[in-house]
Amino acid sequence: MDIHALQQIVHKTRDARRKQTIPKFSPADRDALIEKYHPDFRKSAYRPIRFGPNADEQTVIELATLLEGDSPIADDLDVTPHYQTDVLVIGGGGAGCAAALHAHGTGAKVILATKLRLGDSNSVMAQGGMQISVAPEDSPVTHFLDTLKGGHMQNDHALLKVMVEEGPAIAKWLIELGVLFDRQADGNLHVKKGGGSSKPRLLTCSDYTGLEIMRVLKDEVLNQKIQLLEFCAAVELLSNDEGHCTGAIFKDLDNHRLVVVAAKSVILATGGIGRLHIQGFPTSNHYGATGDGLCLSYRMGAKLAHIDTFQYHPSGAVYPEQLIGALVTEGIRSEGGHLVNSKGERFVNELDTRDVVSSSIIRECEEGRGIRTMSGRVGVWLDTPLLDAEHGPGTVEKHFPAMMLQFERFGIDISKDPVLIYPTLHYQNGGVKIDTNSETNVKNLFVSGEASGGLHGRNRLMGNSLLDLMVFGKRAGLTAASRAQSMAQGKLTLQHLRRFRAEAKQHGSPSGVISPMVLPAYTRKEN
Amino acid sequence: MAHEDTNVIDQPEVLKPRMVSIEISGKKYEVPEGITVIKALWYTGQEVVRGAGCLGGFCGACATYYRTKDDPKVRTCLACQMAVQDGMSFTIMPPFPARKAIYDIQTLKDPKQDLFNLYPEAPLCRNCNACTEACPQKIDVREGVWKAVFGDFKSVSEMFMDCVMCGMCTPVCIADIAPNLVALYVSRAQGAHFTEKPQGLETRIKEIQDGRFNDEWNKVLAMNEKELADHCATVK
Ligand SMILES: Cc1cc2nc3c(=O)[nH]c(=O)nc-3n(C[C@H](O)[C@H](O)[C@H](O)COP(=O)(O)OP(=O)(O)OC[C@H]3O[C@@H](n4cnc5c(N)ncnc54)[C@H](O)[C@@H]3O)c2cc1C
Ligand code: SF4
Ligand code: SF4
Ligand code: FES
């Protein structure tokens, strides 16, 4: 059937739906729903990791295979360094830029190496905003409690307290650098309410929050003349006799040469995992989100936390084909957009946490109340025109220019037509376990941003990631720099790799997989 | 799946993809109609390293020149956001050299005047509008450059909120201006110098420093798991 014909049910039921309030699930119902429908609970998608710091713990098969994978580096490689630095930052997204700027600010020598160009990352795509408790009726403690509830009470309390308390100072830092957050008429920061939060707390820059922050941070990295190695992917770390981290080996993607960087301390800010397409899900993530940091740290002996849980963002585009997996920002639901099944009914409180909303969309689709596309995808409607109906014509265009443009390119006007959505693989809830200074159990190896784990528990609240990046990027940068200033460069060896290989051998034949993945294999080989 | 399902969107192009001829950097290929320009590169077996980043229309890594069948005009697009059509030819754009001025945003004395020292070519705009035509984000770039020069920093910062820094406005400029870099400077100056300090934020920072929430923290952090869960449930 014609998509416009199918959309009629959304237009027809709009007025009736506007009078409805949908209660949130009780904790018991919520847990039952999630267990039945959330992809994290599909047992067949999981298996135990065979060896290493998280031996016998469950994770998705795609990740377990990479964690057990072999390094592309020969363990007798000549590791004479091409570069020497105090602090080596790996990854040029939000966490990497924040870490590099703060480390550089202390006077330390910093090298920032990144797989693609500086800034090409998940961070530029963040649309929804950044949670910081600035409103008078809000407080860091409330932010803490909301996040804990969203994270199924599994969040690391120490990390979380640090994040919510340092948030306001981070907002100030960004404003001083020239980030243009949306304001109220009185000059105060405008705050929006995000899913799972009890108070409005989202700072936004239109629906370009990540882009605006990253434009400024990138520009600042260039202004500070921080040394950059672009198109260099980290493929192995270096360690000394005691197993402390002492640098990294990169593959220069332009000429495939190996580049050795000696560093007194290393900050991994390599982001998430979406491009592994866990359980076959499409993803909202950037091209380089292949979980490299997890593999690199794991081989060094760093412990991972909560790597059995992932965030499936409720609203990934399902139509048109060109936009599959692309994010339809949660901002639409924050402003009152309804989720509607093929019968024209709402089926969940749209502002519930992401795991709940995603699970209920999957339920609708599995129980036959979804809308199928000919390419075999299924989804439910997100009533975007409702925003204009509710808040006046032009609202969608004014508040969501990025989304308008994205769909307009394919002839869809989202202020007039609802969009078809289904959960998309969005975020890695867990990652490398860190302490409040972003350090792992491997000395002088720091991890910050999405690659780290513990802070968000088993489910991240919208907008907490951008804050996480800035707070723990800063802490990693400052700690790594001060550490570097008081120590000598450690020996460069690949001992940890020899140890890892020996362990792999003990656990049966190697899988034949090389990790990290570096880039997903989308290139069509056969013809 | 032979369901009698009325909830199916017809997409004949997906069921039986129509192949179209395209030209990539001058060489001909057949690819399914409607896939994005980046996917067409993958489909034809080409590795993409430079030219792909966010894949979501936000990072500007995939700046591309293209032409359609009967149109003489060379146009620009973001390769991750553009569907291929029959007869289209395209080439991913290499990054063009552009001079970025180096500045310390916080210590600028007179940002509106400093623009002329940092980007002395900015006032030489000849109004040709090539930059605006090149912009895949539909920004009125020419107007932005003029507004920057006339000191209307606020408008510039609003106009360029959509700028993905793809750089396509730079090589076309006959006055050697890099409009995106000018706009970035102007937006940062607007944010750092001409925007009100948010009072509520200052108050909150001070409250945290003064320990206003300490009692509440002590209470919360002393709770056992059950108490904490119950307490969380009371937050509305
Ligand atoms: C579409 C989308 C929208 C989002 N919206 C929001 C939002 O509104 N609010 C919010 O709080 N969060 C949001 N998030 C989540 C948030 O943006 C990310 O979690 C966050 O940006 C991650 O930042 P990061 O610095 O850890 O990683 P990234 O920003 O992804 O950066 C990782 C960097 O590491 C590089 N890298 C990877 N592997 C290697 C390697 N082997 N060697 C060298 N470099 C490497 C990458 O190229 C990249 O530069 C969103 C995420 C997505 C995908
Ligand atoms: S203003 Fe220039 S850099 Fe920005 S999006 Fe338009 S063409 Fe690209
Ligand atoms: S291309 Fe250069 S000269 Fe022409 S309008 Fe734009 S800024 Fe002015
Ligand atoms: S890859 Fe980022 S805009 Fe296309």
Side-chain angles (χ1 to χ4, degrees):
Chain A
M1 201 184 296
D2 173 16
I3 181 160
H4 291 290
L6 284 171
Q7 282 167 342
Q8 289 315 313
I9 186 97
V10 183
H11 298 305
K12 267 193 237 147
T13 55
R14 183 167 301 125
D15 284 334
R17 278 186 280 109
R18 284 166 76 179
K19 297 186 194 94
Q20 247 180 351
T21 39
I22 305 253
K24 287 197 183 162
F25 284 92
S26 70
D29 290 350
R30 174 189 90 160
D31 292 348
L33 175 83
I34 291 179
E35 249 170 76
K36 186 146 183 223
Y37 292 104
H38 196 280
D40 275 359
F41 289 86
R42 280 186 205 149
K43 294 231 160 46
S44 60
Y46 282 77
R47 74 162 170 84
I49 306 166
R50 288 182 302 159
F51 57 92
N54 291 71
D56 302 326
E57 288 177 29
Q58 295 277 336
T59 190
V60 283
I61 293 164
E62 294 86 345
L63 181 58
T65 311
L66 279 180
L67 290 176
E68 294 165 0
D70 196 14
S71 169
I73 299 298
D75 48 33
D76 58 355
L77 180 85
D78 173 9
V79 290
T80 312
H82 301 92
Y83 299 94
Q84 163 77 55
T85 185
D86 291 334
V87 179
L88 170 63
V89 180
I90 305 176
C97 288
L101 285 169
H102 282 99
H104 175 85
T106 68
K109 170 158 173 53
V110 178
I111 290 181
L112 191 161
T114 186
K115 180 150 70 181
L116 298 164
R117 291 183 320 172
L118 177 63
D120 294 351
S121 61
N122 277 359
S123 300
V124 279
M125 286 192 277
Q127 291 183 276
M130 176 171 188
Q131 286 216 34
I132 299 184
S133 71
V134 294
E137 71 271 26
D138 195 8
S139 85
V141 184
T142 314
H143 188 178
F144 180 92
L145 296 171
D146 281 344
T147 306
L148 206 53
K149 191 154 74 170
H152 297 250
M153 310 302 290
Q154 302 289 308
N155 317 54
D156 181 321
H157 292 187
L159 294 178
L160 184 51
K161 179 167 188 283
V162 162
M163 180 181 85
V164 298
E165 282 208 302
E166 293 187 2
I170 286 292
K172 186 172 173 178
W173 177 65
L174 291 173
I175 290 168
E176 283 169 356
L177 285 175
V179 170
L180 289 156
F181 288 114
D182 296 332
R183 301 299 186 99
Q184 292 166 193
D186 66 1
N188 272 316
L189 294 162
H190 177 73
V191 278
K192 276 204 220 169
K193 199 163 161 174
S197 299
S198 61
K199 300 282 180 307
R201 188 184 295 136
L202 278 172
L203 307 192
T204 51
C205 314
S206 155
D207 63 346
Y208 286 113
T209 313
L211 176 60
E212 165 66 1
I213 292 175
M214 285 311 291
R215 265 192 308 245
V216 169
L217 293 187
K218 250 171 79 174
D219 192 48
E220 194 56 18
V221 166
L222 298 175
N223 276 342
Q224 300 297 335
K225 300 190 177 154
I226 291 171
Q227 186 176 356
L228 292 179
L229 301 175
E230 289 183 307
F231 298 100
C232 282
V235 289
E236 192 53 70
L237 294 172
L238 293 160
S239 62
N240 68 4
D241 301 335
E242 291 152 287
H244 303 170
C245 188
T246 57
I249 302 175
F250 295 85
K251 188 164 135 189
D252 184 327
L253 299 180
D254 286 330
N255 54 26
H256 299 272
R257 286 189 195 132
L258 294 178
V259 178
V260 179
V261 181
K264 293 181 183 171
S265 51
V266 174
I267 302 172
L268 266 176
T270 48
I273 210 174
R275 291 280 152 193
L276 300 186
H277 295 292
I278 289 162
Q279 304 194 34
F281 269 82
T283 184
S284 61
N285 284 193
H286 80 115
Y287 193 35
T290 45
D292 299 358
L294 297 184
C295 304
L296 295 171
S297 316
Y298 197 70
R299 284 211 281 268
M300 275 290 275
K303 182 124 176 99
L304 311 177
H306 295 147
I307 38 149
D308 55 340
T309 153
F310 301 90
Q311 184 160 78
Y312 299 82
H313 192 291
S315 46
V318 176
Y319 183 95
E321 277 290 303
Q322 295 89 344
L323 291 182
I324 297 293
L327 207 66
V328 175
T329 172
E330 184 160 323
I332 302 270
R333 278 178 292 128
S334 302
E335 292 200 14
H338 291 167
L339 290 169
V340 181
N341 66 18
S342 64
K343 302 191 144 124
E345 307 155 339
R346 286 169 77 188
F347 49 86
V348 66
N349 181 304
E350 286 82 0
L351 291 183
D352 219 322
T353 49
R354 287 182 174 171
D355 48 357
V356 172
V357 179
S358 286
S359 301
S360 57
I361 295 171
I362 294 174
R363 180 189 62 192
E364 289 309 295
C365 293
E366 287 191 1
E367 292 181 354
R369 294 183 297 276
I371 297 91
R372 290 196 297 112
T373 73
M374 284 294 224
S375 59
R377 298 182 192 273
V378 52
V380 296
W381 299 113
L382 176 63
D383 189 357
T384 43
L386 174 63
L387 267 50
D388 277 13
E390 198 75 45
H391 310 293
T395 303
V396 177
E397 182 161 16
K398 181 143 176 281
H399 293 186
F400 304 100
M403 263 197 68
M404 279 288 284
L405 195 61
Q406 217 172 16
F407 279 86
E408 218 172 72
R409 291 192 170 108
F410 301 99
I412 298 169
D413 178 350
I414 63 166
S415 69
K416 299 206 167 54
D417 293 321
V419 292
L420 201 59
I421 55 113
Y422 189 77
T424 182
L425 178 55
H426 187 56
Y427 188 80
Q428 155 191 307
N429 291 326
V432 187
K433 208 168 150 59
I434 54 167
D435 65 16
T436 51
N437 284 323
S438 274
E439 192 164 6
T440 66
N441 61 307
V442 174
K443 200 164 175 208
N444 302 330
L445 176 62
F446 298 79
V447 177
S448 56
E450 192 171 340
S452 69
L455 172 66
H456 301 289
R458 302 190 64 82
N459 175 51
R460 173 181 66 95
L461 283 197
M462 159 189 208
N464 266 345
S465 173
L466 284 179
L467 181 57
D468 167 12
L469 308 183
M470 296 301 131
V471 169
F472 289 97
K474 172 179 176 180
R475 289 192 151 231
L478 293 178
T479 320
S482 83
R483 182 76 58 79
Q485 270 145 16
S486 62
M487 64 181 275
Q489 170 64 48
K491 245 169 75 180
L492 306 183
T493 81
L494 286 163
Q495 281 186 22
H496 66 280
L497 183 53
R498 281 192 282 276
R499 196 194 56 237
F500 181 87
R501 281 182 171 149
E503 210 179 329
K505 211 162 161 192
Q506 266 178 22
H507 287 84
S509 59
S511 60
V513 170
I514 298 287
S515 71
M517 185 186 269
V518 180
L519 288 174
Y522 291 146
T523 309
R524 191 161 161 269
K525 295 282 186 274
E526 87 291 0
N527 230 324
Chain B
M1 282 209 286
H3 287 281
E4 276 185 59
D5 197 340
T6 45
N7 285 312
V8 181
I9 300 173
D10 286 333
Q11 283 171 284
E13 74 275 15
V14 175
L15 244 201
K16 203 171 177 213
R18 193 166 82 94
M19 300 301 277
V20 295
S21 308
I22 60 164
E23 227 175 65
I24 305 178
S25 302
K27 189 168 163 185
K28 282 209 161 63
Y29 298 92
E30 299 279 307
V31 302
E33 181 176 31
I35 63 175
T36 60
V37 164
I38 287 232
K39 286 185 181 162
L41 283 159
W42 288 329
Y43 188 88
T44 57
Q46 310 193 38
E47 300 270 358
V48 187
V49 175
R50 289 174 183 269
C54 66
L55 303 179
F58 287 93
C59 77
C62 61
T64 295
Y65 281 131
Y66 75 96
R67 227 174 54 72
T68 48
K69 214 185 217 156
D70 297 316
D71 187 349
K73 194 166 167 52
V74 176
R75 297 172 189 277
T76 56
C77 70
L78 297 173
C80 68
Q81 298 293 304
M82 175 87 195
V84 296
Q85 42 179 294
D86 193 40
M88 181 177 181
S89 61
F90 61 83
T91 302
I92 290 225
M93 187 181 111
F96 284 91
R99 185 185 63 85
K100 194 198 106 58
I102 300 296
Y103 44 85
D104 179 352
I105 199 76
Q106 273 148 27
T107 59
L108 294 171
K109 287 276 171 324
D110 185 355
K112 294 197 178 173
Q113 206 51 41
D114 291 333
L115 170 67
F116 301 109
N117 306 325
L118 295 167
Y119 290 106
E121 61 279 14
L124 305 180
C125 169
R126 279 177 268 162
N127 241 330
C128 70
N129 215 32
C131 50
T132 303
E133 284 181 34
C135 180
Q137 292 292 88
K138 300 190 176 164
I139 299 169
D140 191 340
V141 185
R142 178 193 64 94
E143 177 90 2
V145 171
W146 278 94
K147 288 212 148 111
V149 170
F150 285 107
D152 186 358
F153 280 23
K154 185 160 191 293
S155 300
V156 177
S157 62
E158 283 160 11
M159 290 169 73
F160 281 78
M161 190 51 97
D162 312 63
C163 173
V164 293
M165 299 301 273
C166 65
M168 284 193 266
C169 51
T170 303
V172 296
C173 179
I174 51 173
D176 303 323
I177 302 167
N180 56 334
L181 297 181
V182 170
L184 178 58
Y185 164 76
V186 167
S187 304
R188 289 191 62 186
Q190 173 66 23
H193 293 276
F194 303 114
T195 307
E196 220 177 317
K197 299 273 165 283
Q199 272 318 312
L201 177 64
E202 297 295 335
T203 309
R204 178 55 40 83
I205 291 174
K206 187 146 189 322
E207 284 173 345
I208 292 172
Q209 279 166 353
D210 295 349
R212 202 196 119 183
F213 304 105
N214 286 358
D215 290 348
E216 214 179 327
W217 275 127
N218 292 338
K219 202 177 95 195
V220 163
L221 295 173
M223 289 179 180
N224 65 30
E225 242 175 83
K226 167 90 177 55
E227 290 165 341
L228 195 52
D230 292 344
H231 187 54
C232 280
T234 65
V235 183
K236 290 265 148 56

